[in-house]
Amino acid sequence: MVSDTNPHFEDVDAETVDELLEQMVRIRRFEEGVLDEFSEGSVPGFVHLCHGHEASHAGMGVAMQPDDWLAVGGSRLHGQYIVKGVPFDEIMAELFGKATGPNGGKGGSMHLADVDRHLYGHAATIGSGQNPAAGLALAQQMRETGNVVLSTIGDGGTSRGSFHTALVFAAAWNLPVVYIIENNGFAISYSTQQQVGIDSLADYGKPLNIPSYSIDGSDPVAVYETISEAITRAREGGGPTLVESRVTRLRGHFEGDKQAYRTEEEARESNAERDPVTNFQERVIEAGHITAEAYDALVDEIDDEVGAAIQFAKDSPDPAPSTAYEDVLRLPLYGQGEGDA
Amino acid sequence: MSQQAPDIDGATENLTLVQAVRDGLQSEMRDDEDVLVMGEDVGKNGGVFRATDGLYEEFGEDRVIDTPLAEAGIVGTAIGMAAYGLKPVPEIQFLGFIYPAFDQIVSHAARLRTRSRGRFTAQMVIRAPYGGGIRAPEHHSESTEAMFAHQPGLKVQIPSTPYDAKGMLIAAIRDPDPVVFLEPKLIYRAFREEVPDESYEVPLGEAAVRREGSDISVFTWGAMTRPTMEAAEELAEEDGIDAEVVDLRSMSPLDKDTIVESFKKTGRAAVVHEAPKSGGLGGEIATIIQEEALMYQEAPVERITGFDTPFPLYALEDYYLPEPARIKKGIRDAVSF
């Protein structure tokens, strides 16, 4: 069931296509659920939705093994949590700030961390997470675990020095790490073309002789293949890889962003042309990989799971005030009593 | 609260403070293969202050790691290693060089425990020589302990003796939380003390009363402990003022119990630190006294500190750093109020 129109389909097996499709739909439907709940006022703070990044997240997630580490970065994170295997219930509860979230409701949308699933948490100082990722990779190398580290970042974060420092360390020590730049063309409002003076962000790897690729991040098969190759290289001792995954940001930076920096027409065009979910949906149906009915059934099934996660989050308790001092430092603090942190 | 170095059984060696740091590192690296050292020039060179002298030869390049010149990378990489379960001890060559790593310390190390509901902690010790008196300006001499003490999730420790340097460093390496371990480089080689050969811990979070007294409590730490002790001895002789000198040792968490207990006894206080006055820990200590023991207070808390300026060079350094004459004046002002 290989489509002539898709040169990539022939390179991956049907099972992988299934996985890529399912992960993409899971991300999109989850985010639609978040959007509804955010509009209703159920989700505190603000949210950055992944619309447009689904193929990049799915390709990366399907390429990695459960024991590989993911140090998430950039702003569009929910899809990355999903492909790392964190259940909908837990992610949704964290977004709602509930005690049942992986961070106990203290992390929210941006800071979800799950050591059991080898998901390293994110700091909002984007471009800083690449250094701990290098450290995780050094630890894998030293302890010969065979696991690799994937680390994501947005286009905006690549201007920070700590990102480049991480590349220096990774190259110097030949670390088993794959850095993925999700370039969606905007650091909030500032276009990538304005931000940097180079054609491709993958060029940042060149001076360090890091194998570097710039790919269409809206094509899950391309992402899967490139990152699989990078992971294999890292696992076999071949060192780091830098991948620029060119994606589209289909919504504002945050929900409520008026997007004064781009016209409605520009936004509409990018939606129509580069929505990775509808594009891939059409491709797999046209290729006969899945029927339209089966696709609809998949969406319904995932929607049910999203609905259940929303209900779980709503039913979950808020964190108790007594937990405010928990998990800052080990308690009791040198015999000075709990709550004295 | 504890007194001066306790009685020691067993073999000892007469060490300087920096030698005791080296001894502590070596001791923990022998006991725990997850402990490793990393930083600029710490390997083959043994560290610019020789704090890692000989460790490269004993433990090899995998555990004594020379790094590129990039503090964000040194500390950030160590955080990832700690998240995995290793126990890195990154060295920052001078505390003033730490600013590129500040984001890593604040945004990652200090928050890993909270962010992961206690399942990850950044068990690491960030060592840095700090403080003035070595005839080098700005970054090579400044004291920014308050910047780290202000950050929840970090522990900030400063030894002032060789015995404490080894014992506190070992305790810090074993502590599950990230510790900023600041070493007063002015007294790296100023004096020697008997230090046990064996491994031992000096508990973190506890101040030490270096001199008992009844007229005023003088709180200090690091390299300021010695001029403060000198001032106290001279005041006893010259003015009959009996000052209690408390070496805080732990900037975070502060040992409130010892601070308050000492103050209730004397009713007067001075704080001696070489960091700039504004926003320094002297203000925090004065406030703790107000909150916990206002009715005992007989005089304003004197702050004898560095100036609110970048750290100056050469001749001006002697004015900047509190020394016995200035400390004595501050104590006299508080006592005669």
Side-chain angles (χ1 to χ4, degrees), chain A residues 18-59:
Chain A
D18 279 346
E19 282 184 67
L20 292 169
L21 179 68
E22 184 179 341
Q23 291 290 3
M24 288 176 69
V25 177
R26 282 177 69 79
I27 297 167
R28 175 60 61 86
R29 299 314 304 169
F30 183 89
E31 293 292 64
E32 288 292 324
V34 173
L35 178 55
D36 289 345
E37 292 305 313
F38 186 78
S39 309
E40 296 283 322
S42 308
V43 179
F46 42 82
V47 290
H48 308 293
L49 298 179
C50 292
H51 291 64
H53 287 233
E54 293 90 346
S56 195
H57 293 166

Side-chain angles (χ1 to χ4, degrees), chain A residues 88-89 92 302-315:
Chain A
F88 278 2
D89 282 0
M92 197 66 85
I302 291 169
D303 277 347
D304 288 346
E305 199 184 331
V306 172
I310 291 168
Q311 197 56 49
F312 174 79
K314 286 182 172 169
D315 293 344

Side-chain angles (χ1 to χ4, degrees), chain B residues 20-100:
Chain B
V21 167
R22 196 208 78 96
D23 210 43
L25 288 171
Q26 183 182 42
S27 175
E28 275 307 273
M29 290 181 79
R30 284 178 179 172
D31 286 354
D32 184 347
E33 65 171 21
D34 285 338
V35 177
L36 49 92
V37 163
M38 58 199 296
E40 296 161 9
D41 312 301
V42 300
K44 283 182 184 166
N45 190 46
V48 296
F49 289 103
R50 321 305 306 159
T52 55
D53 196 21
L55 300 182
Y56 181 86
E57 288 73 16
E58 179 172 349
F59 300 104
E61 64 180 6
D62 288 342
R63 294 183 64 198
V64 185
I65 304 169
D66 278 319
T67 66
L69 196 165
E71 287 76 12
I74 296 167
V75 175
T77 303
I79 291 165
M81 296 164 87
Y84 180 72
L86 303 180
K87 296 165 189 164
V89 186
E91 174 182 296
I92 299 298
Q93 206 159 64
F94 288 81
L95 179 60
F97 297 173
I98 208 166
Y99 305 122

Side-chain angles (χ1 to χ4, degrees), chain B residues 14-267:
Chain B
N14 204 24
L15 299 181
T16 62
L17 196 151
V18 70
Q19 287 172 329
V21 167
R22 196 208 78 96
D23 210 43
L25 288 171
Q26 183 182 42
S27 175
E28 275 307 273
M29 290 181 79
R30 284 178 179 172
D31 286 354
D32 184 347
E33 65 171 21
D34 285 338
V35 177
L36 49 92
V37 163
M38 58 199 296
E40 296 161 9
D41 312 301
V42 300
K44 283 182 184 166
N45 190 46
V48 296
F49 289 103
R50 321 305 306 159
T52 55
D53 196 21
L55 300 182
Y56 181 86
E57 288 73 16
E58 179 172 349
F59 300 104
E61 64 180 6
D62 288 342
R63 294 183 64 198
V64 185
I65 304 169
D66 278 319
T67 66
L69 196 165
E71 287 76 12
I74 296 167
V75 175
T77 303
I79 291 165
M81 296 164 87
Y84 180 72
L86 303 180
K87 296 165 189 164
V89 186
E91 174 182 296
I92 299 298
Q93 206 159 64
F94 288 81
L95 179 60
F97 297 173
I98 208 166
Y99 305 122
F102 198 65
D103 182 17
Q104 297 292 331
I105 296 169
V106 170
S107 304
H108 290 272
R111 303 183 191 187
L112 215 48
R113 181 187 279 274
T114 302
R115 195 171 286 153
S116 66
R117 216 183 195 178
R119 288 178 294 173
F120 284 111
T121 68
Q123 180 163 357
M124 61 193 291
V125 179
I126 302 166
R127 290 183 43 249
Y130 88 102
I134 62 158
R135 297 290 184 247
E138 290 203 31
H139 300 75
H140 293 81
S141 290
E142 53 208 33
S143 302
T144 51
E145 63 272 16
M147 285 171 37
F148 299 97
H150 187 61
Q151 180 59 43
L154 292 178
K155 292 166 178 173
V156 184
Q157 306 293 312
I158 301 180
S160 72
T161 69
Y163 181 88
D164 280 359
K166 178 173 176 178
M168 287 169 64
L169 181 57
I170 288 172
I173 291 171
R174 294 175 184 174
D175 193 281
D177 291 309
V179 177
V180 176
F181 195 83
L182 304 181
E183 298 162 6
K185 61 181 171 296
L186 176 62
I187 54 171
Y188 256 164
R189 295 180 175 80
F191 60 99
R192 289 174 180 270
E193 187 175 49
E194 291 300 321
V195 173
D197 290 347
E198 64 176 16
S199 181
Y200 62 94
E201 288 187 42
V202 172
L204 305 184
E206 292 186 9
V209 177
R210 300 297 184 191
R211 184 186 195 281
E212 288 201 47
S214 54
D215 293 332
I216 182 170
S217 303
V218 188
F219 302 105
T220 189
W221 53 90
M224 293 297 101
T225 305
R226 279 161 61 85
T228 301
M229 287 291 284
E230 204 178 309
E233 294 303 332
E234 289 176 16
L235 281 171
E237 206 166 295
E238 296 164 8
D239 298 42
I241 293 174
D242 187 20
E244 179 147 302
V245 178
V246 181
D247 176 2
L248 287 180
R249 299 197 292 195
S250 179
M251 306 298 107
S252 175
L254 279 169
D255 184 352
K256 290 183 190 174
D257 292 349
T258 297
I259 294 170
V260 172
E261 189 183 327
S262 176
F263 184 77
K264 283 183 175 174
K265 186 170 72 175
T266 62

Side-chain angles (χ1 to χ4, degrees), chain A residues 111-165:
Chain A
H111 301 292
L112 197 140
D114 191 339
V115 66
D116 301 324
R117 295 189 175 87
H118 288 189
L119 175 67
Y120 178 83
H122 172 66
T125 52
I126 54 172
S128 68
Q130 283 60 43
N131 308 96
L136 281 164
L138 179 57
Q140 308 312 307
Q141 186 185 66
M142 292 174 72
R143 290 293 178 261
E144 298 176 351
T145 65
N147 299 328
V148 306
V149 181
L150 279 75
S151 170
T152 51
I153 185 171
D155 45 288
T158 62
S159 293
R160 294 193 83 219
S162 46
F163 163 70
H164 294 274
T165 294

